[in-house]
């Protein structure tokens, strides 16, 4: 019936007027949330080597967040570029010592920082039980002492001790591995929901227009 068709068309149009603005508002909120979490500032890399096993493995996809010098903490895993090392390629390494720290390992395995032994449950030990060479350094200001988690197979600060105690300049830090990459998923999911609402609303609007134009028998 023409009148019924008109009523259905009006209902669909009303729903469209509600859903389309609501979807757009949700999309804008999601965009703001994505920017707020720093999603646009992140670099994404694929792990290529074994130096950070067992924490990260070749093929792992990681998000790297940009940070200021004052935000670097012991234990952070950084993406760094070191002139004269690694053929200029960026590498992942963990911060053990900051500028001014006294870093020591008397047996090449257990590490102390400023006289306190640090707990390193993330480290891969040599299955043969061998240890590395001892070292005793003070990290220069503005630099970092970095080690890989796969100690038997990491070409890190231990092997460059004659170059400013093996340290790396803070200026070479490209970013820090994001600890909780899932944090950016919430705005992405919200954006998908907003897009769905908008598309459904547009579809209902088109359907309502078509229904309102459909010919039919008139009620007398």
């Amino acid at each position: 019936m023409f009148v019924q068709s008109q009523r259905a068309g009006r209902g669909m149009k009303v729903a469209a007027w509600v859903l389309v603005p609501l979807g757009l508002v949700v999309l804008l909120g999601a965009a703001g949330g994505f920017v707020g979490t720093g999603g646009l500032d992140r670099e994404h890399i694929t792990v290529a080597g074994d130096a950070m096993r067992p924490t990260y493995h070749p093929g792992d996809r990681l998000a790297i967040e940009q940070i200021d010098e004052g935000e670097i903490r012991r234990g952070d895993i950084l993406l760094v570029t070191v002139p004269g090392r690694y053929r200029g390629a960026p590498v992942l390494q963990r911060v053990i010592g900051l500028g001014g720290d006294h870093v020591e390992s008397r047996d090449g395995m257990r590490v102390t920082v400023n006289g306190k032994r640090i707990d390193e449950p993330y480290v891969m030990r040599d299955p043969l039980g061998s240890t590395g060479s001892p070292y005793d350094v003070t990290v220069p200001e503005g630099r970092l002492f970095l080690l890989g988690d796969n100690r038997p197979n990491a070409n890190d600060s231990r092997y460059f001790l004659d170059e400013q105690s093996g340290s790396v300049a803070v200026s070479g830090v490209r970013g820090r591995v994001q600890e909780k990459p899932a944090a950016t998923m919430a705005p992405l999911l919200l954006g998908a929901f907003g897009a769905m609402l908008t598309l459904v609303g547009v579809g209902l609007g088109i359907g309502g227009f078509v229904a309102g134009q459909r010919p039919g028998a008139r009620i007398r």
Side-chain angles (χ1 to χ4, degrees):
M1 303 293 281
F2 184 62
V3 172
Q4 291 176 330
S5 179
Q6 281 189 323
R7 288 175 179 172
R10 284 197 296 269
M12 295 169 73
K13 289 178 181 177
V14 170
W17 277 107
V18 173
L19 291 178
V20 172
L22 179 61
L24 292 175
V25 168
V26 173
L27 273 172
L28 289 174
F34 189 68
V35 173
T37 58
L40 297 178
D41 295 330
R42 286 176 173 77
E43 174 183 1
H44 291 82
I45 65 167
T46 300
V47 178
D50 293 319
M52 288 305 297
R53 282 180 181 269
T55 307
Y56 300 119
H57 299 79
D60 286 351
R61 188 77 172 159
L62 305 177
I64 305 298
E65 58 180 347
Q66 298 178 3
I67 56 174
D68 296 326
E69 177 179 343
E71 298 178 89
I72 298 174
R73 306 180 299 262
R74 299 184 193 90
D76 284 345
I77 298 177
L78 305 179
L79 181 68
V80 297
T81 301
V82 190
R85 299 183 197 174
Y86 318 117
R87 299 180 180 179
V91 296
L92 288 173
Q93 293 181 349
R94 188 182 294 273
V95 179
I96 301 299
L98 305 173
D101 283 344
H102 176 216
V103 182
E104 180 183 13
S105 179
R106 296 182 179 180
D107 59 7
M109 189 167 58
R110 291 168 292 187
V111 181
T112 64
V113 177
N114 299 325
K116 181 179 180 181
R117 180 180 171 182
I118 59 175
D119 183 26
E120 297 189 287
Y122 45 77
V123 168
M124 178 179 285
R125 307 293 181 182
D126 192 327
L128 299 178
S130 61
T131 61
S133 300
Y135 52 89
D136 186 340
V137 300
T138 297
V139 185
E141 292 295 337
R143 301 183 71 85
L144 306 166
F145 192 84
L146 307 176
L147 298 179
D149 287 354
N150 186 359
R151 298 290 158 83
N153 191 30
N155 190 18
D156 47 36
S157 289
R158 296 170 296 170
Y159 297 97
F160 303 93
L161 296 177
D162 58 342
E163 302 174 15
Q164 300 197 59
S165 300
S167 61
V168 171
V170 172
S171 59
V173 175
R174 289 178 52 172
R176 174 174 58 202
V177 174
Q178 184 183 351
E179 296 178 357
K180 298 179 180 179
T184 57
M185 287 301 295
L188 289 176
L189 293 174
L190 188 62
F193 180 64
M196 182 186 70
L197 288 178
T198 304
L199 291 174
V200 171
V202 170
L204 288 174
I206 295 173
F209 175 79
V210 172
Q213 298 299 313
R214 185 179 301 162
R218 295 179 179 272
I219 297 178
R220 295 179 181 179

